[in-house]
């Protein structure tokens, strides 16, 4: 008698789960939403990795902010007339011993 009631109970649960179409549609939709959320999260992580974050440190003795990391700074030198530079064709010789660098 006990085995029969357990089998009927399992059969009822199986029919409830597999026979309920709305349940499976919600389940599949929730899984698809989770996949989309993971893809969006991964895309946001990729965007954040493209940017470099540097920390500025404050020196209380000299009262200045400093950046301990190496960085490049854009310097605007104004308008340069490249056509005039081509006409003059001025060159600077760096092959002489006086202008040679010491690095090897």
């Amino acid at each position: 008698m006990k085995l029969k009631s357990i089998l009927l109970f399992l059969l009822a649960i199986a029919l409830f789960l597999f026979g309920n179409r709305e349940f499976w549609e919600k389940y599949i939709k929730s899984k698809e939403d989770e996949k989309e959320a993971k893809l969006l999260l991964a895309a946001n992580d990729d965007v954040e990795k493209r940017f470099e974050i540097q920390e500025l440190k404050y020196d209380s003795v000299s009262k200045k902010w400093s950046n301990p990391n190496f960085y490049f700074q854009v310097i605007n030198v104004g308008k340069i007339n490249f056509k005039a530079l081509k006409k003059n064709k001025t060159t600077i010789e760096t092959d002489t011993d006086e202008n040679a660098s010491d690095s090897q």
Side-chain angles (χ1 to χ4, degrees):
M1 177 79 177
K2 204 158 199 144
L3 180 63
K4 186 178 180 183
S5 62
I6 292 173
L7 288 175
L8 285 175
F9 182 73
L10 293 175
L11 179 66
I13 291 175
L15 287 174
F16 176 72
L17 290 177
F18 293 113
N20 191 355
R21 182 177 209 133
E22 292 176 9
F23 171 77
W24 287 109
E25 288 174 355
K26 289 179 184 177
Y27 179 76
I28 291 170
K29 184 164 176 41
S30 68
K31 289 296 181 182
E32 289 174 356
D33 291 343
E34 288 177 11
K35 285 182 183 178
E36 288 179 14
K38 286 181 183 178
L39 288 174
L40 287 174
L41 184 62
N44 287 340
D45 288 342
D46 291 341
V47 169
E48 290 176 4
K49 288 179 184 175
R50 287 187 224 157
F51 296 100
E52 180 181 350
I53 299 172
Q54 296 183 354
E55 295 181 10
L56 296 175
K57 295 187 178 179
Y58 183 71
D59 186 12
S60 60
V61 175
S62 64
K63 296 183 179 180
K64 290 185 179 180
W65 289 94
S66 63
N67 186 358
N69 301 319
F70 291 107
Y71 62 96
F72 297 97
Q73 191 170 9
V74 177
I75 300 172
N76 189 0
V77 294
K79 295 181 180 178
I80 299 173
N81 190 353
F82 290 104
K83 292 180 181 177
L85 291 176
K86 286 183 182 178
K87 288 179 184 176
N88 294 340
K89 294 188 181 181
T90 56
T91 59
I92 301 171
E93 293 183 18
T94 56
D95 297 335
T96 61
D97 292 333
E98 294 174 356
N99 296 328
S101 64
D102 295 333
S103 62
Q104 300 207 6

